[in-house]
PDB file of all heavy atoms in Angstrom:
ATOM      1  N   ILE A   1      16.253  76.413 123.140  1.00  0.00           N
ATOM      2  CA  ILE A   1      15.381  76.118 121.992  1.00  0.00           C
ATOM      3  C   ILE A   1      15.453  77.276 120.959  1.00  0.00           C
ATOM      4  O   ILE A   1      15.664  77.040 119.781  1.00  0.00           O
ATOM      5  CB  ILE A   1      13.889  75.964 122.463  1.00  0.00           C
ATOM      6  CG1 ILE A   1      13.754  74.668 123.259  1.00  0.00           C
ATOM      7  CG2 ILE A   1      12.946  75.984 121.284  1.00  0.00           C
ATOM      8  CD1 ILE A   1      12.417  74.517 123.993  1.00  0.00           C
ATOM      9  N   LEU A   2      15.424  78.537 121.488  1.00  0.00           N
ATOM     10  CA  LEU A   2      15.492  79.683 120.597  1.00  0.00           C
ATOM     11  C   LEU A   2      16.862  79.736 119.916  1.00  0.00           C
ATOM     12  O   LEU A   2      16.982  80.119 118.764  1.00  0.00           O
ATOM     13  CB  LEU A   2      15.202  80.943 121.337  1.00  0.00           C
ATOM     14  CG  LEU A   2      13.737  81.147 121.775  1.00  0.00           C
ATOM     15  CD1 LEU A   2      13.630  82.416 122.647  1.00  0.00           C
ATOM     16  CD2 LEU A   2      12.824  81.275 120.583  1.00  0.00           C
ATOM     17  N   LYS A   3      17.918  79.403 120.691  1.00  0.00           N
ATOM     18  CA  LYS A   3      19.251  79.389 120.122  1.00  0.00           C
ATOM     19  C   LYS A   3      19.368  78.399 118.996  1.00  0.00           C
ATOM     20  O   LYS A   3      19.906  78.661 117.889  1.00  0.00           O
ATOM     21  CB  LYS A   3      20.282  79.093 121.201  1.00  0.00           C
ATOM     22  CG  LYS A   3      21.718  79.328 120.829  1.00  0.00           C
ATOM     23  CD  LYS A   3      22.601  79.144 122.037  1.00  0.00           C
ATOM     24  CE  LYS A   3      24.045  79.323 121.648  1.00  0.00           C
ATOM     25  NZ  LYS A   3      24.945  79.109 122.799  1.00  0.00           N
ATOM     26  N   ASN A   4      18.790  77.175 119.199  1.00  0.00           N
ATOM     27  CA  ASN A   4      18.819  76.131 118.160  1.00  0.00           C
ATOM     28  C   ASN A   4      18.028  76.585 116.971  1.00  0.00           C
ATOM     29  O   ASN A   4      18.428  76.406 115.815  1.00  0.00           O
ATOM     30  CB  ASN A   4      18.254  74.800 118.728  1.00  0.00           C
ATOM     31  CG  ASN A   4      19.194  74.179 119.663  1.00  0.00           C
ATOM     32  OD1 ASN A   4      20.372  74.420 119.687  1.00  0.00           O
ATOM     33  ND2 ASN A   4      18.640  73.275 120.570  1.00  0.00           N
ATOM     34  N   GLN A   5      16.837  77.213 117.221  1.00  0.00           N
ATOM     35  CA  GLN A   5      16.015  77.736 116.130  1.00  0.00           C
ATOM     36  C   GLN A   5      16.804  78.826 115.351  1.00  0.00           C
ATOM     37  O   GLN A   5      16.757  78.844 114.126  1.00  0.00           O
ATOM     38  CB  GLN A   5      14.679  78.302 116.660  1.00  0.00           C
ATOM     39  CG  GLN A   5      13.712  77.270 117.090  1.00  0.00           C
ATOM     40  CD  GLN A   5      12.436  77.902 117.651  1.00  0.00           C
ATOM     41  OE1 GLN A   5      12.391  79.116 117.905  1.00  0.00           O
ATOM     42  NE2 GLN A   5      11.438  77.105 117.894  1.00  0.00           N
ATOM     43  N   HIS A   6      17.521  79.666 116.131  1.00  0.00           N
ATOM     44  CA  HIS A   6      18.315  80.706 115.457  1.00  0.00           C
ATOM     45  C   HIS A   6      19.402  80.093 114.574  1.00  0.00           C
ATOM     46  O   HIS A   6      19.609  80.528 113.444  1.00  0.00           O
ATOM     47  CB  HIS A   6      18.926  81.582 116.557  1.00  0.00           C
ATOM     48  CG  HIS A   6      19.856  82.633 116.040  1.00  0.00           C
ATOM     49  ND1 HIS A   6      19.388  83.712 115.317  1.00  0.00           N
ATOM     50  CD2 HIS A   6      21.232  82.738 116.084  1.00  0.00           C
ATOM     51  CE1 HIS A   6      20.406  84.474 114.945  1.00  0.00           C
ATOM     52  NE2 HIS A   6      21.562  83.890 115.396  1.00  0.00           N
ATOM     53  N   GLU A   7      20.031  79.056 115.077  1.00  0.00           N
ATOM     54  CA  GLU A   7      21.064  78.399 114.272  1.00  0.00           C
ATOM     55  C   GLU A   7      20.436  77.768 113.009  1.00  0.00           C
ATOM     56  O   GLU A   7      21.009  77.855 111.918  1.00  0.00           O
ATOM     57  CB  GLU A   7      21.771  77.315 115.108  1.00  0.00           C
ATOM     58  CG  GLU A   7      22.623  77.828 116.221  1.00  0.00           C
ATOM     59  CD  GLU A   7      23.802  78.637 115.708  1.00  0.00           C
ATOM     60  OE1 GLU A   7      24.345  78.364 114.652  1.00  0.00           O
ATOM     61  OE2 GLU A   7      24.099  79.651 116.394  1.00  0.00           O
ATOM     62  N   ASP A   8      19.271  77.158 113.184  1.00  0.00           N
ATOM     63  CA  ASP A   8      18.574  76.565 112.015  1.00  0.00           C
ATOM     64  C   ASP A   8      18.208  77.670 110.993  1.00  0.00           C
ATOM     65  O   ASP A   8      18.412  77.505 109.796  1.00  0.00           O
ATOM     66  CB  ASP A   8      17.287  75.839 112.461  1.00  0.00           C
ATOM     67  CG  ASP A   8      17.607  74.571 113.239  1.00  0.00           C
ATOM     68  OD1 ASP A   8      18.761  74.134 113.193  1.00  0.00           O
ATOM     69  OD2 ASP A   8      16.662  74.046 113.876  1.00  0.00           O
ATOM     70  N   VAL A   9      17.726  78.790 111.492  1.00  0.00           N
ATOM     71  CA  VAL A   9      17.350  79.890 110.622  1.00  0.00           C
ATOM     72  C   VAL A   9      18.590  80.441 109.906  1.00  0.00           C
ATOM     73  O   VAL A   9      18.577  80.745 108.707  1.00  0.00           O
ATOM     74  CB  VAL A   9      16.560  80.984 111.368  1.00  0.00           C
ATOM     75  CG1 VAL A   9      16.421  82.222 110.579  1.00  0.00           C
ATOM     76  CG2 VAL A   9      15.205  80.487 111.802  1.00  0.00           C
ATOM     77  N   LYS A  10      19.717  80.547 110.707  1.00  0.00           N
ATOM     78  CA  LYS A  10      20.934  81.033 110.072  1.00  0.00           C
ATOM     79  C   LYS A  10      21.378  80.068 108.959  1.00  0.00           C
ATOM     80  O   LYS A  10      21.789  80.513 107.874  1.00  0.00           O
ATOM     81  CB  LYS A  10      22.029  81.125 111.137  1.00  0.00           C
ATOM     82  CG  LYS A  10      22.173  82.490 111.728  1.00  0.00           C
ATOM     83  CD  LYS A  10      23.174  82.580 112.856  1.00  0.00           C
ATOM     84  CE  LYS A  10      24.573  82.341 112.499  1.00  0.00           C
ATOM     85  NZ  LYS A  10      25.502  82.487 113.648  1.00  0.00           N
ATOM     86  N   LYS A  11      21.252  78.756 109.218  1.00  0.00           N
ATOM     87  CA  LYS A  11      21.669  77.751 108.238  1.00  0.00           C
ATOM     88  C   LYS A  11      20.764  77.860 107.003  1.00  0.00           C
ATOM     89  O   LYS A  11      21.239  77.853 105.884  1.00  0.00           O
ATOM     90  CB  LYS A  11      21.590  76.387 108.881  1.00  0.00           C
ATOM     91  CG  LYS A  11      22.192  75.272 108.039  1.00  0.00           C
ATOM     92  CD  LYS A  11      22.184  73.938 108.761  1.00  0.00           C
ATOM     93  CE  LYS A  11      22.711  72.858 107.889  1.00  0.00           C
ATOM     94  NZ  LYS A  11      22.636  71.563 108.576  1.00  0.00           N
ATOM     95  N   GLN A  12      19.457  77.978 107.234  1.00  0.00           N
ATOM     96  CA  GLN A  12      18.517  78.114 106.117  1.00  0.00           C
ATOM     97  C   GLN A  12      18.855  79.390 105.282  1.00  0.00           C
ATOM     98  O   GLN A  12      18.797  79.388 104.116  1.00  0.00           O
ATOM     99  CB  GLN A  12      17.080  78.211 106.661  1.00  0.00           C
ATOM    100  CG  GLN A  12      16.536  76.892 107.136  1.00  0.00           C
ATOM    101  CD  GLN A  12      15.116  77.047 107.737  1.00  0.00           C
ATOM    102  OE1 GLN A  12      14.599  78.173 107.821  1.00  0.00           O
ATOM    103  NE2 GLN A  12      14.505  75.955 108.089  1.00  0.00           N
ATOM    104  N   LEU A  13      19.126  80.473 106.056  1.00  0.00           N
ATOM    105  CA  LEU A  13      19.464  81.745 105.380  1.00  0.00           C
ATOM    106  C   LEU A  13      20.699  81.525 104.508  1.00  0.00           C
ATOM    107  O   LEU A  13      20.754  81.989 103.341  1.00  0.00           O
ATOM    108  CB  LEU A  13      19.744  82.843 106.400  1.00  0.00           C
ATOM    109  CG  LEU A  13      20.182  84.194 105.829  1.00  0.00           C
ATOM    110  CD1 LEU A  13      19.128  84.822 104.946  1.00  0.00           C
ATOM    111  CD2 LEU A  13      20.568  85.173 106.914  1.00  0.00           C
ATOM    112  N   LEU A  14      21.744  80.901 105.071  1.00  0.00           N
ATOM    113  CA  LEU A  14      22.948  80.631 104.276  1.00  0.00           C
ATOM    114  C   LEU A  14      22.659  79.791 103.042  1.00  0.00           C
ATOM    115  O   LEU A  14      23.103  80.081 101.923  1.00  0.00           O
ATOM    116  CB  LEU A  14      24.005  79.961 105.184  1.00  0.00           C
ATOM    117  CG  LEU A  14      25.370  79.800 104.595  1.00  0.00           C
ATOM    118  CD1 LEU A  14      25.974  81.135 104.305  1.00  0.00           C
ATOM    119  CD2 LEU A  14      26.275  79.023 105.538  1.00  0.00           C
ATOM    120  N   ASP A  15      21.827  78.717 103.260  1.00  0.00           N
ATOM    121  CA  ASP A  15      21.469  77.862 102.108  1.00  0.00           C
ATOM    122  C   ASP A  15      20.676  78.686 101.060  1.00  0.00           C
ATOM    123  O   ASP A  15      20.990  78.563  99.832  1.00  0.00           O
ATOM    124  CB  ASP A  15      20.595  76.688 102.549  1.00  0.00           C
ATOM    125  CG  ASP A  15      21.378  75.692 103.376  1.00  0.00           C
ATOM    126  OD1 ASP A  15      22.643  75.764 103.393  1.00  0.00           O
ATOM    127  OD2 ASP A  15      20.725  74.851 104.070  1.00  0.00           O
ATOM    128  N   LEU A  16      19.791  79.512 101.545  1.00  0.00           N
ATOM    129  CA  LEU A  16      19.006  80.357 100.590  1.00  0.00           C
ATOM    130  C   LEU A  16      19.862  81.388  99.873  1.00  0.00           C
ATOM    131  O   LEU A  16      19.717  81.655  98.684  1.00  0.00           O
ATOM    132  CB  LEU A  16      17.843  81.050 101.318  1.00  0.00           C
ATOM    133  CG  LEU A  16      16.682  80.171 101.771  1.00  0.00           C
ATOM    134  CD1 LEU A  16      15.702  80.944 102.640  1.00  0.00           C
ATOM    135  CD2 LEU A  16      15.962  79.574 100.544  1.00  0.00           C
ATOM    136  N   GLN A  17      20.860  81.911 100.605  1.00  0.00           N
ATOM    137  CA  GLN A  17      21.759  82.853  99.946  1.00  0.00           C
ATOM    138  C   GLN A  17      22.596  82.175  98.875  1.00  0.00           C
ATOM    139  O   GLN A  17      22.778  82.697  97.775  1.00  0.00           O
ATOM    140  CB  GLN A  17      22.713  83.539 101.020  1.00  0.00           C
ATOM    141  CG  GLN A  17      22.020  84.581 101.820  1.00  0.00           C
ATOM    142  CD  GLN A  17      22.925  85.116 102.931  1.00  0.00           C
ATOM    143  OE1 GLN A  17      23.879  84.475 103.371  1.00  0.00           O
ATOM    144  NE2 GLN A  17      22.605  86.305 103.417  1.00  0.00           N
ATOM    145  N   LEU A  18      23.047  80.943  99.201  1.00  0.00           N
ATOM    146  CA  LEU A  18      23.836  80.186  98.189  1.00  0.00           C
ATOM    147  C   LEU A  18      22.940  79.900  96.983  1.00  0.00           C
ATOM    148  O   LEU A  18      23.366  80.028  95.838  1.00  0.00           O
ATOM    149  CB  LEU A  18      24.386  78.924  98.824  1.00  0.00           C
ATOM    150  CG  LEU A  18      25.524  79.079  99.860  1.00  0.00           C
ATOM    151  CD1 LEU A  18      25.839  77.760 100.495  1.00  0.00           C
ATOM    152  CD2 LEU A  18      26.768  79.678  99.203  1.00  0.00           C
ATOM    153  N   GLN A  19      21.716  79.473  97.271  1.00  0.00           N
ATOM    154  CA  GLN A  19      20.781  79.137  96.195  1.00  0.00           C
ATOM    155  C   GLN A  19      20.507  80.396  95.388  1.00  0.00           C
ATOM    156  O   GLN A  19      20.457  80.345  94.162  1.00  0.00           O
ATOM    157  CB  GLN A  19      19.487  78.560  96.811  1.00  0.00           C
ATOM    158  CG  GLN A  19      18.523  78.067  95.796  1.00  0.00           C
ATOM    159  CD  GLN A  19      17.272  77.522  96.472  1.00  0.00           C
ATOM    160  OE1 GLN A  19      17.173  77.455  97.685  1.00  0.00           O
ATOM    161  NE2 GLN A  19      16.313  77.114  95.668  1.00  0.00           N
ATOM    162  N   HIS A  20      20.341  81.527  96.052  1.00  0.00           N
ATOM    163  CA  HIS A  20      20.045  82.770  95.388  1.00  0.00           C
ATOM    164  C   HIS A  20      21.214  83.200  94.492  1.00  0.00           C
ATOM    165  O   HIS A  20      21.019  83.596  93.327  1.00  0.00           O
ATOM    166  CB  HIS A  20      19.805  83.913  96.458  1.00  0.00           C
ATOM    167  CG  HIS A  20      19.684  85.226  95.872  1.00  0.00           C
ATOM    168  ND1 HIS A  20      18.579  85.665  95.145  1.00  0.00           N
ATOM    169  CD2 HIS A  20      20.522  86.331  95.884  1.00  0.00           C
ATOM    170  CE1 HIS A  20      18.737  86.886  94.759  1.00  0.00           C
ATOM    171  NE2 HIS A  20      19.932  87.327  95.170  1.00  0.00           N
ATOM    172  N   ASN A  21      22.433  83.012  95.017  1.00  0.00           N
ATOM    173  CA  ASN A  21      23.633  83.342  94.225  1.00  0.00           C
ATOM    174  C   ASN A  21      23.738  82.458  92.966  1.00  0.00           C
ATOM    175  O   ASN A  21      24.032  82.929  91.878  1.00  0.00           O
ATOM    176  CB  ASN A  21      24.906  83.238  95.058  1.00  0.00           C
ATOM    177  CG  ASN A  21      24.999  84.359  96.073  1.00  0.00           C
ATOM    178  OD1 ASN A  21      24.352  85.400  95.938  1.00  0.00           O
ATOM    179  ND2 ASN A  21      25.802  84.150  97.094  1.00  0.00           N
ATOM    180  N   SER A  22      23.442  81.120  93.166  1.00  0.00           N
ATOM    181  CA  SER A  22      23.546  80.249  92.014  1.00  0.00           C
ATOM    182  C   SER A  22      22.445  80.557  90.996  1.00  0.00           C
ATOM    183  O   SER A  22      22.705  80.555  89.787  1.00  0.00           O
ATOM    184  CB  SER A  22      23.484  78.798  92.451  1.00  0.00           C
ATOM    185  OG  SER A  22      22.187  78.430  92.919  1.00  0.00           O
ATOM    186  N   LEU A  23      21.236  80.886  91.507  1.00  0.00           N
ATOM    187  CA  LEU A  23      20.128  81.266  90.585  1.00  0.00           C
ATOM    188  C   LEU A  23      20.470  82.588  89.876  1.00  0.00           C
ATOM    189  O   LEU A  23      20.182  82.756  88.683  1.00  0.00           O
ATOM    190  CB  LEU A  23      18.827  81.405  91.387  1.00  0.00           C
ATOM    191  CG  LEU A  23      18.167  80.095  91.815  1.00  0.00           C
ATOM    192  CD1 LEU A  23      16.958  80.374  92.681  1.00  0.00           C
ATOM    193  CD2 LEU A  23      17.749  79.268  90.607  1.00  0.00           C
ATOM    194  N   LYS A  24      21.127  83.514  90.620  1.00  0.00           N
ATOM    195  CA  LYS A  24      21.497  84.783  89.997  1.00  0.00           C
ATOM    196  C   LYS A  24      22.479  84.574  88.908  1.00  0.00           C
ATOM    197  O   LYS A  24      22.410  85.115  87.766  1.00  0.00           O
ATOM    198  CB  LYS A  24      22.100  85.670  91.115  1.00  0.00           C
ATOM    199  CG  LYS A  24      22.053  87.135  90.852  1.00  0.00           C
ATOM    200  CD  LYS A  24      22.230  87.890  92.168  1.00  0.00           C
ATOM    201  CE  LYS A  24      23.473  88.686  92.185  1.00  0.00           C
ATOM    202  NZ  LYS A  24      23.637  89.467  93.382  1.00  0.00           N
ATOM    203  N   LEU A  25      23.498  83.672  89.161  1.00  0.00           N
ATOM    204  CA  LEU A  25      24.490  83.335  88.133  1.00  0.00           C
ATOM    205  C   LEU A  25      23.835  82.651  86.986  1.00  0.00           C
ATOM    206  O   LEU A  25      24.130  83.006  85.774  1.00  0.00           O
ATOM    207  CB  LEU A  25      25.569  82.437  88.746  1.00  0.00           C
ATOM    208  CG  LEU A  25      26.755  82.037  87.927  1.00  0.00           C
ATOM    209  CD1 LEU A  25      27.562  83.286  87.528  1.00  0.00           C
ATOM    210  CD2 LEU A  25      27.597  81.040  88.631  1.00  0.00           C
TER     211      LEU A  25
END
């Protein structure tokens, strides 16, 4: 469960980083 949650959080982090980069641009 924690591994799946970790993967979800990693995916969310990646999405947020992409969103942050596009917003920064």
Side-chain angles (χ1 to χ4, degrees):
I1 291 169
L2 289 175
K3 191 174 178 182
N4 290 338
Q5 287 178 349
H6 176 70
E7 291 299 323
D8 291 345
V9 168
K10 266 174 65 174
K11 190 176 178 183
Q12 286 176 355
L13 175 65
L14 188 61
D15 291 345
L16 288 173
Q17 284 175 338
L18 291 173
Q19 187 179 356
H20 173 71
N21 288 340
S22 70
L23 288 173
K24 204 161 116 177
L25 184 64

